[in-house]
Amino acid sequence: MPTSSPSGRETEPIRLLLVEDHSQVALALGSAFEMVPGIELVGQARGVEEAVAATAEHRPDVVLLDRRLPDGDGIDAIGRLHEQWAEARVLVFTGGADRSVIDRVAAAGGAGLLLKAGLLEDLVATIRKVAAGEDSFDVELPEHRIRR
C-alpha cells in the first residue's frame, strides 16, 4: 500500500527481502514488519541459494541479509544477489562485527551493516536510509565508533 511522503505525495513502499535462517528471528521480524508503514516484506529466504532465487523473483529494494547462513557466508553472496537484481541494496544484519567484516561488506558492494543487538526502530531507520541510496556502516566497536 502506498504511503505519504513528507511532501504529501504517495510513495511506493520499500520492498524488503529478509534472509534469515533462524526461524524464531525470521518470524519475529516478519511479524514486526507487518506493522511498519512504508515497508513491504516481499519474501523470505533461509540461505544463500534461496536468497539468490528470491532476489531474482521479487526484485527487492533492500535485502536484509544475515551474515552466517547454513549454505555460506552472506557477505560472499552479495555479488550473486546483485547479479540477479543490480538495484537491490544489501544490508548485512549480524550478531557481531569487527573492522575486517565491515571492510568486507563494503568491498563486496554491500550498502551497510547493522548489529542484531539494536532496537527495531534503528533497524527500520537503517532500512529506510539504505533504500534512499545512503550507505550505513554505523557500528559500535569496542575501541571506537565507525561511521561511513
Side-chain angles (χ1 to χ4, degrees), residues 9-148:
R9 294 189 330 235
E10 285 191 354
T11 58
E12 291 298 317
I14 297 165
R15 296 173 46 80
L16 179 70
L17 172 64
L18 173 62
V19 183
E20 171 62 60
D21 64 316
H22 291 96
S23 57
Q24 289 179 327
V25 174
L27 181 63
L29 286 172
S31 296
F33 286 125
E34 287 179 11
M35 309 294 279
V36 177
I39 296 180
E40 177 186 1
L41 186 62
V42 296
Q44 294 189 38
R46 296 179 51 89
V48 170
E49 296 306 319
E50 284 183 34
V52 170
T55 298
E57 178 183 350
H58 298 293
R59 297 181 169 201
D61 299 312
V62 176
V63 177
L64 184 60
L65 179 65
D66 189 8
R67 178 175 168 217
R68 293 187 177 102
L69 296 165
D71 58 347
D73 184 329
I75 298 170
D76 294 336
I78 294 172
R80 293 184 61 201
L81 298 175
H82 284 150
E83 287 172 7
Q84 299 304 311
W85 181 237
E87 295 179 32
R89 307 269 295 149
V90 180
L91 176 60
V92 174
F93 195 48
T94 186
D98 60 18
R99 183 74 210 183
S100 66
V101 172
I102 294 166
D103 290 344
R104 283 184 58 218
V105 172
L113 182 137
L114 188 66
L115 297 178
K116 288 183 177 180
L119 300 173
L120 178 63
E121 292 81 16
D122 294 335
L123 174 58
V124 170
T126 302
I127 289 169
R128 292 186 195 288
K129 182 177 179 179
V130 166
E134 297 179 52
D135 287 352
S136 182
F137 290 88
D138 293 351
V139 177
E140 288 285 341
L141 294 178
E143 296 175 7
H144 61 288
R145 183 169 174 84
I146 293 181
R147 291 194 67 116
R148 282 185 149 188

